[in-house]
Every structure is written in structure tokens, then in C-alpha cells.
């Protein structure tokens, strides 16, 4: 009985976290179009926190975006604080004014994105490397464009509906390309 009560309380707590709705951002004076934002060079810094708030990984990402035949290709080169490196290549299609779908090698199926005002919500499954293992997790990404072309990303990572952690990323558009700083 005690286990059932704990699972029920966790489920209720998680449903409160999922109450953000893309429609809530329609009145924003800033408008996010990811094709416009990510074309060219973008820099990002981020970290992953486990469900207890402990920072487990920090990283820097250099992103190059190109548009060809109505497809945005993002080449993301990750440098992690532990010295490891990773690369992801996204292919993103604009399905309508505010709907997108995307794919990458470690994304399962198709990522679905919806934007409104300054916000974009991405949802997808991903095979995530953790040490020597790979586990399939769900991502619920929320991106918010701010003044001065700063883009904030908060991604909830879960498995079977249980929160595993959160990824926080900040993107900027460098004026003079990439540097080693």
C-alpha cells in the first residue's frame, strides 16, 4: 500500500510539471523561428542534473546550421567537462508555420516540435549513453528566445514517466564565429 501511495504521489507531481502549454506564449513580442535562429553558427553551454539536482555533466556545443531544400541541418559538436566529445547531426523539416519534425542518429523515430511566440516545445525519444550502457529515454524540451538572441532550453529527461533529470542549455549567436574560450 505504501508503494502504491508513493507512485501515485510521484505521478501527480509529474503531471504538474507537464502543465506548460505552447499556446501560453502566443502574445510574446519576440518570435522564435528555429530556421532563422540556427542558420549559421551558434554556441551553447549546458549541464545535466540528475533528479536530485546534482550536476552530473557540463558541456559546450558548437553548432553549424545550414538550410537546403527546406531542411535545416544542425551539426552539433559537444565538448564535455570530463574531456569526452560527441557529435549529433539533426535534420529538421518545417511542416507548417509553427510545426516541425526532426531526426538524428540517436533519436528514435521522429522528434515533433511546435512553436508559438518565443517558445518551442520538442518531444522525442532518444538512446542516451550513460557510462557503458545505453538507455532509451523521453525528452520534453522547451526553448525560449530572449532579447539579444539568447535562447534558453530546459529539457526534462524521463523514463516510464519518471523524471531522471534535466538538461539546461543557453545558446548565443557569436558575432565573429567560434573561438576556444
Amino acid at each position: 500500500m505504501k508503494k502504491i501511495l508513493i507512485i501515485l504521489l510521484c505521478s501527480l507531481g509529474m503531471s504538474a510539471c507537464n502543465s506548460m502549454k505552447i499556446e501560453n506564449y502566443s502574445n510574446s513580442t519576440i518570435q522564435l523561428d528555429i530556421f532563422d535562429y540556427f542558420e549559421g553558427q551558434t554556441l551553447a553551454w549546458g549541464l545535466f542534473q540528475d533528479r536530485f539536482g546534482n550536476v552530473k555533466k557540463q558541456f559546450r556545443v558548437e553548432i553549424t546550421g545550414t538550410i537546403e531544400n527546406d531542411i535545416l541541418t544542425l551539426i552539433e559538436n559537444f565538448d564535455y567537462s570530463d574531456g569526452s566529445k560527441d557529435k549529433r547531426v539533426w535534420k529538421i523539416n518545417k511542416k507548417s508555420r509553427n510545426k516541425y519534425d526532426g531526426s538524428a542518429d540517436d533519436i528514435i523515430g521522429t522528434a515533433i516540435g511546435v512553436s508559438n511566440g518565443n517558445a518551442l516545445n520538442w518531444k522525442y525519444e532518444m538512446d542516451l549513453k550513460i557510462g557503458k550502457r545505453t538507455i532509451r529515454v523521453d525528452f520534453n524540451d522547451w526553448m525560449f528566445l530572449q532579447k539579444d538572441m539568447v535562447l534558453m532550453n530546459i529539457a526534462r529527461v524521463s523514463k516510464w514517466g519518471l523524471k531522471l533529470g534535466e538538461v539546461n542549455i543557453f545558446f548565443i549567436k557569436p558575432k565573429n564565429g567560434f573561438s576556444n574560450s
Side-chain angles (χ1 to χ4, degrees):
M1 182 67 169
K2 189 175 179 181
K3 285 183 182 180
I4 293 173
L5 183 59
I6 289 171
I7 291 170
L8 181 61
L9 289 173
C10 287
S11 296
L12 289 172
M14 285 184 295
S15 65
C17 294
N18 292 328
S19 64
M20 288 199 305
K21 296 189 181 344
I22 197 68
E23 297 81 26
N24 295 346
Y25 304 97
S26 61
N27 293 328
S28 173
T29 57
I30 300 171
Q31 299 294 306
L32 173 60
D33 180 315
I34 61 171
F35 274 54
D36 289 340
Y37 186 85
F38 283 108
E39 186 174 24
Q41 295 181 327
T42 308
L43 285 173
W45 296 264
L47 55 85
F48 174 77
Q49 292 175 279
D50 67 16
R51 65 179 167 231
F52 306 109
N54 301 308
V55 174
K56 293 297 188 180
K57 250 187 179 180
Q58 297 181 55
F59 54 88
R60 179 180 188 265
V61 190
E62 292 182 357
I63 304 163
T64 302
T66 57
I67 300 170
E68 190 174 317
N69 299 324
D70 296 324
I71 295 173
L72 171 63
T73 300
L74 298 177
I75 299 172
E76 301 176 331
N77 290 299
F78 291 81
D79 287 316
Y80 292 96
S81 57
D82 64 4
S84 63
K85 296 182 180 302
D86 200 4
K87 180 177 184 176
R88 178 174 298 115
V89 178
W90 280 96
K91 298 282 187 182
I92 300 172
N93 301 297
K94 191 179 225 180
K95 303 306 273 182
S96 67
R97 183 184 65 78
N98 68 335
K99 294 187 191 284
Y100 303 90
D101 66 26
S103 62
D105 286 343
D106 52 357
I107 302 303
I108 308 308
T110 302
I112 304 297
V114 180
S115 66
N116 204 346
N118 72 322
L120 172 78
N121 180 221
W122 272 115
K123 292 184 180 178
Y124 53 92
E125 281 186 310
M126 178 180 180
D127 282 339
L128 184 65
K129 289 185 251 175
I130 300 176
K132 294 181 181 181
R133 299 179 354 175
T134 300
I135 63 168
R136 187 155 294 172
V137 297
D138 297 308
F139 270 76
N140 185 2
D141 280 11
W142 281 90
M143 295 180 166
F144 299 96
L145 183 60
Q146 306 298 305
K147 290 181 182 179
D148 301 320
M149 296 298 285
V150 173
L151 184 63
M152 298 168 35
N153 184 85
I154 303 164
R156 182 175 184 261
V157 183
S158 62
K159 176 121 178 120
W160 301 310
L162 299 174
K163 182 179 177 179
L164 299 178
E166 188 171 280
V167 180
N168 294 287
I169 308 172
F170 294 88
F171 301 87
I172 63 164
K173 300 297 289 181
K175 294 183 185 352
N176 299 315
F178 299 138
S179 70
N180 291 330
S181 54

